[in-house]
Amino acid sequence: VSQSRYRTIAEKKDEICIADLTLAPMETWSLNAQYEALIVIPLAGAITFKNVKDSYPLSIGTLLVIYPESESQITITNPYSTENVNCFFIQFNTVRSDHQLHTIELPFFEWQFEEVHLSIRQFRNREEFEFIPQLPHQSLWVFCLAGAFEIENRLSQGPDQVSHPERHGGGLEP
C-alpha cells in the first residue's frame, strides 16, 4: 500500500491544468475548484467524486465533466480497503454547462465543448494516427498513460507528457 499522490502533469496558467491523482486505500483527497470546468477520468479502480451539490461513483470506462462553483471544495474518495486507485484530471476555463457523465468506448473516444476537444485513443500494435485540431490556434497536448508511442519522431513512454503548443496537428505512432 503506497501513499496518496497528486501530481500536476502540465499547466498553462489560467487556462488549463492537467493532473494525476493516486489515492491509497480508504483515503480522501480535497481540492478547491480553480477552473470553471473539470474532467475526471478514473484509470485504475473506482472513485467517489463529490462537490457541494452532487456525488458521483465513477469507475474505469467513465468520464465526468463537471462545472463546479468557483472555489468550491471537491473531494475524491477511494472506497477500497486494500487497493490504490488512480484518476486523471483536466481543469480548464470555459462557459458553464450541465454536468455530463460519459462512457468511454475504446479504441477511440471523442468529446468536444466550445474550444476543448478531447480524444482518447487506445492503440494496438503499430498504428498511425493523425490529429488535426479543428481550430488553427488550438494547442495540442498528448499524454501516454501506458506503453510507449512516438509523436513527430519523439518517443514517449507512459505516464509521460508531450506538449506541442505551437503545432497544429501531429502524427502518432505506437
Side-chain angles (χ1 to χ4, degrees):
V1 177
S2 68
Q3 297 291 331
S4 295
R5 176 181 62 107
Y6 179 90
R7 175 177 68 112
T8 299
I9 298 170
E11 186 170 17
K12 208 171 185 183
K13 186 118 173 96
D14 299 324
E15 287 185 39
I16 189 168
C17 179
I18 302 166
D20 174 72
L21 173 65
T22 299
L23 278 177
M26 305 302 293
E27 290 212 3
T28 296
W29 189 269
S30 297
L31 64 112
N32 290 328
Q34 300 293 315
Y35 293 84
E36 295 162 343
L38 171 64
I39 297 174
V40 183
I41 306 169
L43 300 175
I47 61 170
T48 302
F49 176 92
K50 291 182 184 177
N51 69 1
V52 176
K53 299 177 184 176
D54 303 295
S55 178
Y56 297 91
L58 302 173
S59 59
I60 295 173
T62 59
L63 176 143
L64 174 66
V65 183
I66 195 161
Y67 303 87
E69 298 297 321
S70 181
E71 296 295 320
S72 66
Q73 188 174 58
I74 294 166
T75 61
I76 298 92
T77 302
N78 176 355
Y80 300 114
S81 60
T82 59
E83 301 293 324
N84 287 355
V85 296
N86 179 251
C87 58
F88 195 66
F89 293 102
I90 304 171
Q91 300 177 77
F92 57 98
N93 288 323
T94 189
V95 296
R96 295 189 180 277
S97 185
D98 294 329
H99 302 334
Q100 303 164 34
L101 186 60
H102 298 276
T103 299
I104 298 173
E105 299 285 338
L106 293 176
F108 190 64
F109 171 82
E110 284 190 296
W111 174 82
Q112 186 164 353
F113 180 73
E114 298 290 324
E115 68 283 349
V116 176
H117 181 133
L118 175 67
S119 294
I120 299 174
R121 178 78 192 237
Q122 180 181 35
F123 293 98
R124 288 179 168 68
N125 301 320
R126 288 189 71 86
E127 294 180 51
E128 288 194 23
F129 174 74
E130 185 175 20
F131 177 77
I132 300 171
Q134 294 178 353
L135 300 173
H137 66 278
Q138 281 182 309
S139 296
L140 174 63
W141 299 85
V142 179
F143 299 89
C144 180
L145 299 176
F149 73 94
E150 189 176 292
I151 178 168
E152 300 295 318
N153 298 316
R154 180 177 170 196
L155 182 65
S156 177
Q157 293 181 311
D160 194 6
Q161 174 259 325
V162 177
S163 167
H164 289 274
E166 304 305 317
R167 291 199 46 85
H168 302 299
L172 305 176
E173 182 178 332

